[in-house]
Amino acid sequence: MRMEKIVLEKVCWKVKATTAFQFLQLYYSLLQENVPHERKSSLNFERLEAQLKACYCRIIFSKAKPSVLALSIIALEIQAQKYIELTEGVERLQKHSKISGRDLTFWQELVSKCLAEYSSNKCAKPNVQKLKWIVSGRTARQLRHSYYRITHLPTIPETVP
């Protein structure tokens, strides 16, 4: 592993973690291939993306594997829209991604609860008191003074090597 890291650094290869959003894009594009042309617009990617963002507002979803979370959101949407022809595609994706049925069911339940709370009246208007930062007077004075000490740096030109 150490040698791999050294080699990757030498060839300037940056390894990045795959996110739930990337899995969502991948799974969505794979499932779109199986949707009849007249129903392609019914499975809305923007809606799936909004659901993912709503889930990531909860700390519990940071513990989910990105692939499981993305597939959970898609599977719930397919169940809600009653896409019978896509359930087989979800099962294939689940098998190919090596996601256990227990994990998928567990995260689907959490996603379902989160989205139900997100769409309820409780979330319609946030509590303004909870959104305010409360700091001591001393901290506020330090923050106020540090704002004026920020030096504006010149823009670094971007060049392609």
Side-chain angles (χ1 to χ4, degrees):
M1 295 276 290
R2 201 174 119 250
M3 283 304 294
E4 283 181 19
K5 184 181 175 200
I6 291 170
V7 170
L8 291 174
E9 286 174 356
K10 294 296 180 190
V11 295
C12 300
W13 184 282
K14 301 213 184 233
V15 179
K16 297 178 184 174
T18 308
T19 64
F21 180 73
Q22 291 167 326
F23 275 110
L24 194 67
Q25 288 175 316
L26 176 68
Y27 292 159
Y28 177 80
S29 63
L30 290 171
L31 287 172
Q32 282 294 96
E33 294 172 0
N34 298 329
V35 176
H37 185 68
E38 60 275 359
R39 290 190 70 179
K40 278 199 188 264
S41 62
S42 333
L43 191 59
N44 188 346
F45 183 75
E46 287 77 24
R47 180 176 162 83
L48 295 170
E49 182 183 357
Q51 290 174 350
L52 178 64
K53 288 177 183 178
C55 288
Y56 269 134
C57 289
R58 308 279 168 120
I59 193 75
I60 186 86
F61 290 103
S62 63
K63 296 177 183 175
K65 287 183 179 177
S67 58
V68 178
L69 182 58
L71 194 60
S72 298
I73 291 171
I74 288 179
L76 279 174
E77 185 65 19
I78 287 171
Q79 287 173 4
Q81 299 284 337
K82 296 182 176 40
Y83 283 127
I84 298 158
E85 64 270 8
L86 290 181
T87 53
E88 187 180 309
V90 170
E91 290 169 1
R92 278 196 312 258
L93 286 173
Q94 178 185 352
K95 186 177 180 182
H96 185 73
S97 301
K98 297 177 183 162
I99 299 171
S100 73
R102 202 176 102 233
D103 283 346
L104 187 62
T105 305
F106 173 77
W107 288 105
Q108 275 183 328
E109 289 173 5
L110 287 177
V111 167
S112 180
K113 287 177 189 174
C114 173
L115 295 177
E117 287 178 21
Y118 186 75
S119 63
S120 71
N121 290 335
K122 185 175 131 183
C123 286
K125 189 174 181 186
N127 185 351
V128 179
Q129 291 291 355
K130 289 183 180 178
L131 295 176
K132 290 183 182 176
W133 283 81
I134 300 172
V135 294
S136 67
R138 181 176 151 204
T139 305
R141 284 191 298 276
Q142 286 177 340
L143 288 173
R144 204 172 304 120
H145 295 302
S146 67
Y147 174 77
Y148 295 109
R149 279 192 244 145
I150 296 173
T151 58
H152 295 286
L153 300 173
T155 306
I156 298 172
E158 295 183 24
T159 57
V160 178

